[in-house]
Amino acid sequence: MDEMKAAVTLNRLKVDPPRGSPVIDPKTGRQGILRHARAVRVTVLWDDCDHEQFAMRADVALDLTTRVGRIDGATIAATMLAESARLDVSRGVTWDAERICGEAHVRIRDGHGRWHGIDGPTTGDVDPRALLAAVLVATLEVKS
Amino acid sequence: MICVPLSKLKVMPRVGSPAIYDDQPWTIAGMLDNEVWIVASDGSGRTRYVDIVHVALDLSEPITARIDGATVAATMLAEKAELNVSQGVTWEASRGTEDVRVSISARDPVGYPAAALFPRWPAVVFSDATEPREILAAVLLAALGVKS
């Protein structure tokens, strides 16, 4: 899988991931955790730096790939989608993604068994995390 | 405040987990032997290397934009049960007359829906906890606690 397909730059989202979310620099592949999100800039604690640094939102992406020893960004994304669908995320969420007739579809289920299906854009991706990323952008994208 | 001291756990929470240090909210940014690298959640940019005995995993319901420590704890339990956590986990707490239990739902290694119950029968966790997150904290300690 192209791991950049499973990453969403923060300038495309109108809802910010919570503090502690795994992030990646799409240009360099540098990894870190999100500290604070502001209107234009965010603060990130990069793995190779011992203090927070400012970065432009377009230069920081929520990382949906699996990384050893850190919070799974896909769980973060699924939780954001669940919150947008007004599901109860206090008992966790699970998710499924598949491509049907060329379109991405994600289904989120909360801890009470309630679920919400979300249709995404037409895509050539088949990897579940890339599909989740596409649906996240389609659902929470910034409308200009 | 519902929390579990890291020094009582034999499995450490992942980077990004919410933590409590000095009664303040922090985020775990890394670990090195018995030290934890934490960053403040108040936006001040403070970072600290502190001894593991002073830091706890925060299972309280997040009131700001923080990762939910209960989800972190449930994921730790699911991994202990060898469930597939890559598509998230959900959890449910219950209590009997004197004991408490937590059910974790995720996937099995093949990807089919699967569940695990903690503690595993016939073990019992006695606790006075009534709030679901308190029950989760008690069960986490019982399942992943360091035997002293």
Side-chain angles (χ1 to χ4, degrees), chain A residues 28 43 51-52 70 76 79 82 88-89 94 96 103 105 110 117 122 128 139:
Chain A
T28 64
T43 51
H51 59 275
E52 292 184 350
R70 61 179 55 214
I76 303 285
T79 304
D88 178 6
V89 301
T94 58
D96 282 299
E103 292 182 351
H105 293 268
D110 72 12
T122 301
T139 307

Side-chain angles (χ1 to χ4, degrees), chain A residues 82-96:
Chain A
E83 287 177 323
S84 76
R86 300 184 183 276
L87 296 179
D88 178 6
V89 301
S90 65
R91 305 283 170 84
V93 299
T94 58
W95 61 276
D96 282 299

Side-chain angles (χ1 to χ4, degrees), chain A residues 97-99 123-131:
Chain A
E98 59 183 335
R99 183 166 162 259
T123 176
D125 294 321
V126 292
D127 179 82
R129 287 166 185 264
L131 296 173

Side-chain angles (χ1 to χ4, degrees), chain B residues 63-139:
Chain B
I63 54 173
T64 57
R66 299 180 81 206
I67 288 169
D68 191 339
T71 300
V72 175
T75 304
M76 292 166 70
L77 288 173
E79 289 178 323
K80 159 96 173 164
E82 298 184 348
L83 302 180
N84 175 9
V85 301
S86 67
Q87 288 174 244
V89 302
T90 59
W91 61 277
E92 192 170 355
S94 60
R95 70 161 299 117
T97 308
E98 294 179 321
D99 62 324
V100 292
R101 291 191 184 276
V102 169
S103 170
I104 308 286
S105 298
R107 307 266 159 178
D108 68 11
V110 181
Y112 289 107
L117 191 64
F118 287 93
R120 292 175 180 174
W121 191 87
V124 177
V125 175
F126 294 107
S127 171
D128 295 330
T130 54
E131 206 274 330
R133 287 166 184 268
E134 291 175 346
I135 293 174
L136 181 63
V139 170

